[in-house]
Amino acid sequence: MNRVLSAETVSPELEAGGILTVDLAALTANWQLLGRRSLPAEVAAVVKADAYGCGLEPVASALLRAGCKTFFVASIGEGRRLRSIAPEAAIYVLNGFPPGTGPAFAECRLQPVIGNMAEMVEWDAFRTSAGWPGEWAVHVDTGMNRLGLSVAEASALAPRLERQHHGITLVMSHLVAAEIADHPLNAQQIEAFREIRRLFRGVTASLANSSGIFLGPAAQFDLVRPGVALYGANPTPGANPMQPVVELKARVVQVRTIQRDQTVGYDATWTARRTSRIAVVGIGYADGYLRAASAADGVAGGEAVVAGQRCPIAGRISMDLLALDVTEIGSGVRRGDLVTLLGDGIGVDDLAAFGSTIAYEVLTSLGRRYHRVYRTG
Ligand SMILES: *Cc1c(COP(=O)(O)O)cnc(C)c1O
């Protein structure tokens, strides 16, 4: 028997280039904070795109334990996964009712968010032919011009509410620019939605996403639909009231010294201005660390926390690696150490800014090959 092969196994933390920790206690606290901000409205949870990259099952399980009863996903596949762990929850499918998918909605008791007349006609026909009183949401477009019935179409629908078994459990619309608190469209959409809601008396009404909640009570109606703020992104124009949820650490593959005027990385875009220490870290754009956060001469890129200090990225981010200028740390960083790319004061919004994008994209890009840790307390 080979002594080496029979040795104890290596921990997954040691094997992985990066370790992603999702703090489910912080996520729950964020959901509760949004609920308090929205009282007396119900607070749902948007868990599309694998719960914004954080993991649908662990995220939804934590929110179910906290008392969340209503969830929004984008697709049937996401709805099916959620239904298998949430037998009682209301699950709305935001992307509506694709042709021929009635049996999937019935099997998983999913509620389509109907966003145009063709969908509604097919949905009606399915409910009738299947003899199944499927419930559903009406999406009314108040300015996004993406999904939703026109206000006129929605008005024509309203008399259905007198019929029995109409199945409409939610009337909703979506804000175009809620994160820009003083954008004139906010007031226009709130006003338009107030009219629509009058037509759908007795049906739960929902307008606000994360940022919409912070527009105040006029935007909150009966149910709010936060997504990104649950995961720690800042839904406000000011200081972030949410707790950070995602932490990303990655391992130093090697540390090397380079001479002044040498370059680092592809295309030689970054030049050392002094004798420099470079820590090469084992994650890259294939892990969702945005390549747009690369650094070049005269252009700052992303930052990481190394031994308690902020250090800048040096050069282009590669597929599986990135380089940090750790000259200031001296001998304080060594092969095998962990550096922090998200956390220790670097939030998802900061990482997004490094790459000229938004926290939504940072979160939904989070890589598949990290070792994932779910912290519950
Ligand atoms: C994604 C989405 C939300 C959640 O938006 P956040 O900005 O992430 O809070 C709410 N409603 C609809 C229709 C969505 O598509």
Side-chain angles (χ1 to χ4, degrees):
M1 182 84 158
N2 183 315
R3 295 277 297 272
V4 173
L5 290 182
S6 66
E8 68 263 44
T9 52
V10 175
S11 75
E13 287 93 336
L14 274 178
E15 283 188 13
I19 301 167
L20 184 77
T21 305
V22 178
D23 186 342
L24 295 174
L27 171 97
T28 301
N30 286 342
W31 181 77
Q32 288 163 336
L33 173 78
L34 296 168
R36 287 194 299 278
R37 296 280 317 211
S38 307
L39 282 172
E42 177 188 348
V43 56
V46 181
V47 293
K48 61 195 180 189
D50 200 30
Y52 289 56
C54 292
L56 175 62
E57 286 81 4
V59 162
S61 300
L63 295 173
L64 283 164
R65 280 194 298 277
C68 185
K69 293 181 165 47
T70 305
F71 293 85
F72 290 83
V73 295
S75 68
I76 299 169
E78 293 172 346
R80 179 175 283 119
R81 274 169 67 190
L82 180 54
R83 177 58 77 209
S84 71
I85 57 163
E88 308 292 334
I91 304 174
Y92 288 100
V93 178
L94 288 166
N95 280 6
F97 181 57
T101 56
F105 278 87
E107 176 205 335
C108 302
R109 287 170 292 122
L110 306 176
Q111 294 168 243
V113 177
I114 296 291
N116 68 65
M117 294 307 283
E119 278 182 357
M120 200 173 67
V121 168
E122 189 183 334
W123 175 245
D124 265 344
F126 173 75
R127 289 171 81 245
T128 306
S129 69
W132 173 65
E135 297 181 332
W136 52 293
V138 185
H139 191 165
V140 185
D141 190 356
T142 53
M144 182 73 103
N145 288 308
R146 192 175 65 174
L147 302 177
L149 307 188
S150 69
V151 173
E153 288 167 336
S155 311
L157 189 62
R160 276 175 68 139
L161 295 176
E162 330 242 288
R163 280 196 253 148
Q164 281 196 313
H165 309 305
H166 57 76
I168 301 171
T169 50
L170 181 74
V171 57
M172 60 170 264
S173 191
H174 194 38
L175 292 165
V176 172
E179 69 281 6
I180 307 166
D182 57 1
H183 199 292
L185 267 173
N186 291 322
Q188 287 173 34
Q189 289 191 277
I190 289 168
E191 185 49 39
F193 192 64
R194 217 182 265 140
E195 294 293 318
I196 290 157
R197 179 216 213 170
R198 253 197 286 280
L199 300 169
F200 289 82
R201 214 176 284 281
V203 177
T204 300
S206 176
L207 178 64
N209 65 337
S210 297
S211 293
I213 291 170
F214 292 87
L215 296 176
Q220 292 168 356
F221 296 92
D222 305 314
L223 179 137
V224 295
R225 309 188 305 269
V228 80
L230 297 172
Y231 312 101
N234 188 357
T236 78
N240 190 357
M242 313 317 297
Q243 292 186 28
V245 170
V246 182
E247 182 193 76
L248 175 60
K249 294 185 185 240
R251 210 168 284 285
V252 174
V253 177
Q254 57 172 264
V255 185
R256 57 173 55 214
T257 301
I258 63 166
Q259 301 308 315
R260 192 185 149 165
D261 294 333
Q262 287 191 301
T263 63
V264 173
Y266 285 117
D267 299 341
T269 57
W270 187 93
T271 313
R273 296 289 166 220
R274 56 184 173 177
T275 302
S276 300
R277 294 282 287 166
I278 299 294
V280 180
V281 174
I283 71 170
Y285 61 77
D287 300 291
Y289 194 91
L290 307 167
R291 187 170 172 279
S294 296
D297 292 333
V299 184
E303 295 174 358
V305 179
V306 184
Q309 246 175 278
R310 284 277 186 116
C311 294
I313 284 180
R316 290 267 163 85
I317 290 160
S318 311
M319 185 184 292
D320 318 294
L321 298 166
L322 57 81
L324 295 168
D325 179 357
V326 294
T327 311
E328 300 296 325
I329 312 285
S331 57
V333 53
R334 296 163 54 183
R335 166 176 170 262
D337 286 354
L338 289 171
V339 304
T340 304
L341 298 149
L342 266 176
D344 288 348
I346 302 175
V348 285
D349 296 285
D350 301 313
L351 181 45
F354 295 150
S356 309
T357 184
I358 52 176
Y360 298 78
E361 194 175 21
V362 167
L363 287 165
T364 57
S365 302
L366 289 171
R368 302 281 142 221
R369 56 183 172 180
Y370 297 137
H371 173 66
R372 289 188 174 225
V373 177
Y374 288 92
R375 197 155 59 208
T376 51

